[in-house]
Amino acid sequence: MIDENRDFIPVKLGIMTISDTRTTADDRSGDTLAARAEAAGHIIEARTIVKDDKPSITEQLKAWIADNEIQVIISTGGTGITGRDVTPECFEALYTKAIPGFGELFRMLSYDLIGTSTIQSRATGGISGTTLMFALPGSTGAVKDGWDKILVTQLDNRFRPCNFVELMPRFGET
């Protein structure tokens, strides 16, 4: 439930499309994610397309984690089970805390739409230091599901009973 008595706080996002074939001209899933995030009131601080290989993905993730202007990283692509799908391994290697409920909820919601094919998704979420990180599958449908059914509310500080935004100031606690 959205508490309209609270002021909305936009977050700054880094959006990463992971693909060996996509370009800025045909990055439909990245475009879909960016459009939805901006429509919700968030700021796209950075956006890029990265090749589907561990060094490229990891290097970009580390750069954005180190950038204090990026609070949330959301990727699209590379979460399947083929040999080139290495996004979850890159994300999980950098987590200081995993958020297993993100992937579990994503697959649960996807089941209603694609049935047992949802088990092929390795969508994942976690925190690295003070940066939230979410890896979504590369289809526009998966991006819509992940954003519309999970992230749009969890990245809205007005969402009750709790959300990620109100916890962000505490991510660096020791």
Side-chain angles (χ1 to χ4, degrees):
M1 170 167 71
I2 298 294
D3 180 351
E4 297 294 343
N5 294 317
R6 299 180 82 171
D7 290 333
F8 176 78
I9 300 171
V11 296
K12 295 179 181 179
L13 304 172
I15 295 177
M16 181 188 313
T17 297
I18 298 164
S19 173
D20 291 331
T21 59
R22 296 282 180 244
T23 67
T24 55
D26 65 0
D27 180 16
R28 291 189 355 239
S29 61
D31 290 343
T32 298
L33 181 56
R36 280 174 150 64
E38 287 177 328
H42 299 296
I43 300 160
I44 309 303
E45 190 68 29
R47 184 171 169 194
T48 192
I49 298 174
V50 176
K51 292 291 182 201
D52 212 345
D53 67 72
K54 284 184 181 181
S56 298
I57 297 167
T58 301
E59 180 181 324
Q60 185 62 66
L61 287 172
K62 286 181 176 180
W64 282 357
I65 290 165
D67 185 341
N68 291 331
E69 292 300 311
I70 296 177
Q71 299 169 293
V72 180
I73 298 169
I74 307 174
S75 72
T76 174
T79 62
I81 58 173
T82 69
R84 299 278 301 154
D85 293 324
V86 295
T87 302
E89 288 80 6
C90 297
F91 272 61
E92 291 164 4
L94 298 175
Y95 290 163
T96 50
K97 288 190 186 249
I99 305 172
F102 175 77
E104 294 163 358
L105 179 57
F106 179 84
R107 284 180 286 281
M108 184 195 81
L109 295 168
S110 295
Y111 180 79
D112 291 336
L113 301 169
I114 63 172
T116 60
S117 295
T118 193
I119 66 171
Q120 295 179 29
S121 167
R122 297 185 305 138
T124 183
I127 302 169
S128 182
T130 60
T131 306
L132 281 165
M133 302 167 61
F134 302 99
L136 295 169
S139 72
T140 56
V143 166
K144 290 175 185 177
D145 293 342
W147 181 265
D148 296 349
K149 296 178 181 177
I150 305 171
L151 293 174
V152 72
T153 53
Q154 281 300 297
L155 295 178
D156 188 331
N157 66 295
R158 302 169 302 165
F159 185 74
R160 310 310 304 145
C162 57
N163 59 77
F164 289 132
V165 178
E166 64 190 359
L167 297 175
M168 291 170 105
R170 299 181 55 204
F171 287 165
E173 291 177 347
T174 55

